[in-house]
Amino acid sequence: MRLKTALALPAALALTAGVLAHVPLVHPSNGKVLHWSSPSNVGIVINSAGSDDIADGSHETAMRLAIEEWNAATGTNATLVENTSTLEQARTDWTSSSIHLVIFDETNSSGYFPAWSGTVAITPIWFFSNGTISDADILFNGSGFQFTTSGDPGHFDVGDVGTHELGHLLGLDHTAWAGGTMYPFVDPTVSLHRSISRDEISGLRDAYPSASFGEITGSVRRLSDNSVVRGAHVVARDASGRTAASILSTNSGAFTIRGLDAGTYDVYVAPLGNGLSGGSDAPVDASNLTSWFTIETDFEAEDYPTSFTITGTETVAAGTLLVDADVSLNLGTESDRYPMRIIEGMSQTVVIRGSGLNPTSTLTVSDPDLIIGTPMWFGSQVSFQVTVPVGEAAGHVDVIATNAFGEQSILTAGLEITPPTPSVSSVSPTMGATAGGTSLTITGTGFKPGARIVVGDQIYTDGVAGTVVASPTTITLTTNSMLEGTHDVVVIDATGIEGRLVGAYQALAMPMIATVFPAAGVQSGATDVILNGADFLPGATVSIDGVDQGAVTWMGASRLAFTTTPGATGAQVLEVVNPGGALASSVFTYVAQPDPVVLGVTPSTVARSGGELVTVTGTGFTPTSLLFFDADPDTGVGGIQAESVMYIDANTMQAYTPQFSSTGDTNVLVADMITSQASLREDAVTVSGGGGGGGGGGCYMVPVDGPPRASGIARGAWWMLAVLALCLLRAKRVPARDAIA
Amino acid sequence: MRLLPFAATALIVGLAGVAIVSRPGGVVAGTALRMEVPELVRGSDLIVEGRVLSGEAFESDGRIETEYLIEVERTFVGEDQPYRAVRIPGGVLPDGSGMMLAGMPRITPGETALLFLSEAGATGVRMPVGLAQGKFQVLEAESGAKTLVRDSSGVTLVDRSGALHRGEGRSVLGYAQVTAEIEAALAARRAR
């Protein structure tokens, strides 16, 4: 590397420094920078229809994350303000200036995505002659490509693409940083563009500053004839060797790197694209910029030995930066896949294509903390191992190739350091109400401060509204109101990488009670009740007539068990309230007569063929008690009704066993056909022996649906009629109790 | 605006398989439209080389488009006509207002260009295939030697030999080489 001496011309250069900073979009005719007149309130609407490839509407969440990413940039007042009005989100008239829309064009209705177009997304921007942006919209090419929010292979990440397009919407052109979000090419395997780089932040600070920052000014000229270099890429690196900010020199060769925080910087100049020496195509060149810029590339990339220190908001003059003639050495091509991720605490092999990469060359990276192994040079590519020490901060690093003649090529921000990919191993609890309010603990690895967590359609940010990255392995948050369904839990690092536990959390809607078993109990309480239904949450409470029933056993989203407290006789409202307040109601009836209780059956072993007389002992039996075998223990539904039931007294019943369809232990259910009180004893009888056909079905009770619906009422009435008909049939066949006695 | 890098293609094909292939514009578009002339040809409904005589922007259905009048020197794909009017999205109206799509090529009256254009949409608009990649500026030396430059930065100078002046070019391609690739690609297309 040949170092050039910077000529000190600070006073003059400060005055002639170019107004062009970073790579903004500019008016094609007059070169004025395109900008929003009210950058603190740039409205944006995400079309709710989204992509045909994304059924759950998570494109909205992905775009909101992208919006948050830009809004989190410091030192700028640019703010994207989303309008979530349902009516606005239903609009598709993206050409209207009254809406700035993000929309998926699934049929190429825009005409911008003909077959084979190769354009994944596009951002039309309308502007006035003074450069003020009047409208901008983002169109995804849904007709030609597939999109994902969950890393589906071969699909483009909505967040990755969307973050880039939002940069255009804000007025940024493509960047020469290989690892920048505004890098012009997209790859379905990466999501690192979700996080904007310091280059993009610098661009916003320049276009829409909210504070004063330091600047480095100077100019670029050729060593050979002192002629100015137009469109040179001038880059500042911070003291830790990280790529910090960049701009293009103006047509007078002047530059001003703006938006710099206090610190010490080195500066280098590199051509934006490869020069006349030919060779490979550079990752980014003039053709990737919209227009206007004059980009000269006939010079060698040059590092300069002088460091520049900014203590506050002052302008520091770098003087004239001289560049030598172009060389036959190019590091990086457009066929490389950028950004190239290297992971903190790991060693990885990196391959970078280019030209003139011959074995006598040397390779370095701008961050001296990184450890580079011996490179393998192949002329058109170089392969090397890079080790990122533990604790290295995320950010971009330049790669520098130097040949035997001391000539060099610099790949700006070619490597992006990220933390290891976070992983989510568990979520507790695994379900909660759609209404939110559930305290969630996420367990995993690699959680970092500043992480964002996505559960369903909701975004949670570390440090905001009670969301806390408590440790690298634990995140706690309280859920917001969210869409019903099973959702992935996603932890997204500040660099954009994510850990995802698929289907880890279920947001349940309003609970629903299907059956109450038994549907009635004694007014003094102590009746064991099972509720069957859906969307019950752990922690749900049960009340009858407004009286809390105490401990509730959660037996899954479809079943709750509790024991009644005393209550007033008559039908009472039974309510289940999920954590968060979602409520379901049904009916429970308190009656005066004691609940039946089955204590035993004699004999305890019966033949499968049926016809045996059994004696059931217990309490609370009545003349209207029915006897069933093998009923559903949770609902009381089904089972085989015993024949010739004989009421002896309140403690004794006799009946002939029916034919059983199978052998084994079975339950016995005593139910009062008038009050609906019931008692079921598990494994009360063992059915043995062969022979016999299947028993008849039966049902003693009317399942209580809730909340009451017309269909439920009809169904209940049908069952009532069925029971009554059954009783009438039995009345014809079974002698009256007195007669038997 | 996002484009597919050439390297992404093989990966997409490998990963997406049938799902992507089932979308006609998917994989192949990404591959084809990324710098490779044969794929530029594949995506083109009209390939013309000619001198841009004028460009007139107008508003249409809330958008701004520019109609360029081209004096055609050579038509590779499409009906051969001495003059062609092609409409391309974006442009600047007489009052200075306009619309742009980041990544589109800059087409300037007076220059000679080789354009790879998509089929015309319902409104008659054509898209440059691969956006900026769908346009080459044709430079001709006094000797008649032609060179193609993919460069949106404005005027590029050439000397008598056809070589570019210092610092004025990127992505320089030999005219003969590119036209040969176009012809070969067309032959392949006809064979299919």
Side-chain angles (χ1 to χ4, degrees), chain B:
Chain B
M1 175 176 334
R2 309 305 293 270
L3 296 171
L4 275 171
F6 177 74
T9 301
L11 185 68
I12 296 172
V13 172
L15 292 177
V18 175
I20 285 291
V21 171
S22 65
R23 292 208 171 193
V27 172
V28 183
T31 305
L33 299 178
R34 193 62 197 120
M35 304 299 291
E36 299 297 324
V37 170
E39 278 69 38
L40 285 174
V41 171
R42 177 181 293 182
S44 296
D45 179 69
L46 177 65
I47 304 176
V48 294
E49 175 190 341
R51 180 177 173 80
V52 182
L53 299 178
S54 64
E56 183 177 357
F58 58 93
E59 192 165 358
S60 171
D61 195 24
R63 315 179 202 189
I64 293 174
E65 298 160 359
T66 300
E67 184 166 283
Y68 294 97
L69 181 61
I70 298 172
E71 183 181 19
V72 177
E73 295 181 6
R74 186 173 183 181
T75 301
F76 293 91
V77 173
E79 185 181 349
D80 190 15
Q81 300 173 359
Y83 294 91
R84 277 237 179 223
V86 295
R87 288 167 60 184
I88 292 175
V92 179
L93 298 174
D95 67 358
S97 65
M99 187 191 89
M100 72 157 55
L101 294 88
M104 290 282 280
R106 186 181 191 188
I107 300 173
T108 308
E111 71 173 336
T112 300
L114 173 61
L115 299 172
F116 296 77
L117 299 173
S118 75
E119 61 184 357
T123 62
V125 168
R126 295 178 186 269
M127 291 291 287
V129 177
L131 302 175
Q133 299 166 95
K135 178 226 169 182
F136 291 92
Q137 188 177 13
V138 182
L139 306 175
E140 186 171 353
E142 289 184 6
S143 64
K146 290 182 177 179
T147 305
L148 299 179
V149 178
R150 180 171 289 147
D151 183 359
S152 62
S153 64
V155 177
T156 303
L157 304 176
V158 292
D159 63 18
R160 287 174 178 273
S161 68
L164 296 170
H165 275 221
R166 180 186 66 188
E168 298 293 343
R170 286 150 297 282
S171 301
V172 181
L173 293 92
Y175 180 85
Q177 175 64 28
V178 171
T179 54
E181 290 182 27
I182 292 173
E183 294 295 351
L186 288 173
R189 195 160 94 170
R190 284 191 291 269
R192 284 197 294 269

